[in-house]
Amino acid sequence: MSEKRAIKKRLLSAAFLLVFLCFTGGCGNPDMKKLRDVEFTVVSEQDIPQELTKAIEERREEEFQFIYQSGEDLYIAKGYGRQETSGYSIQAKELYLTKDCLVFDTELTGPGEGQKVQETATYPYVVVKTEYMEKNVIFQ
């Protein structure tokens, strides 16, 4: 199997796992008590790994949630799908560790009152990078 196919398969497997986790409530009955905050960096578009960028482009029309491992780094991506105008932004509110999981909390905000917007579709998403941990990720 080519390296490209292996990477795509890994991304798809992660995507299916995330969908499964969302529908089953995450880590079973996870202990959601925050143990500590986890440091993260919001990744600029040009610094997102190419394979992750491709996956985002392929699924940007709908909401998505991805995790992607590269070496000792874990990338966590959350997209909110197609929005009909410009002016949307996403706040990466927090990333924290519980006994069972990593919890990633984001918030989509729309155009502010009186803000000029363009009547063109946009696809807001955010990607953060943190240290790799063998934990399921819960998106809030």
Side-chain angles (χ1 to χ4, degrees):
M1 182 183 315
S2 73
E3 182 178 338
K4 195 175 200 179
R5 286 187 63 149
I7 290 169
K8 191 170 187 175
K9 187 174 180 179
R10 242 185 7 213
L11 278 171
L12 287 173
S13 295
F16 288 124
L17 175 62
L18 288 173
V19 169
F20 174 76
L21 290 174
C22 288
F23 285 118
T24 61
C27 313
N29 279 326
D31 179 353
M32 296 301 286
K33 181 180 174 193
K34 180 195 283 190
L35 298 178
R36 68 174 173 90
D37 288 320
V38 175
E39 289 186 30
F40 65 90
T41 304
V42 176
V43 182
S44 63
E45 191 172 327
Q46 65 268 17
D47 293 330
I48 298 171
Q50 185 176 4
E51 296 83 10
L52 183 54
T53 298
K54 285 182 184 179
I56 290 168
E57 284 297 314
E58 290 172 1
R59 293 166 184 83
R60 72 183 189 161
E61 289 283 335
E62 303 295 326
E63 286 191 36
F64 65 81
Q65 302 168 354
F66 291 121
I67 57 171
Y68 178 79
Q69 179 190 355
S70 178
E72 294 186 16
D73 295 324
L74 178 66
Y75 293 85
I76 305 171
K78 169 71 177 164
Y80 284 85
R82 180 185 173 103
Q83 305 299 318
E84 296 303 319
T85 67
S86 65
Y88 286 86
S89 64
I90 301 172
Q91 179 184 8
K93 294 172 69 174
E94 66 180 337
L95 178 64
Y96 63 89
L97 181 66
T98 72
K99 178 179 172 235
D100 300 315
C101 304
L102 276 173
V103 178
F104 184 46
D105 189 12
T106 63
E107 181 177 26
L108 176 69
T109 56
E113 190 174 318
Q115 180 180 350
K116 291 185 179 183
V117 297
Q118 295 179 357
E119 298 294 325
T120 184
T122 57
Y123 307 89
Y125 66 90
V126 65
V127 177
V128 299
K129 180 172 90 170
T130 190
E131 64 185 290
Y132 175 75
M133 294 181 213
E134 283 200 36
K135 297 279 187 180
N136 290 325
V137 177
I138 301 292
F139 292 83
Q140 293 189 334

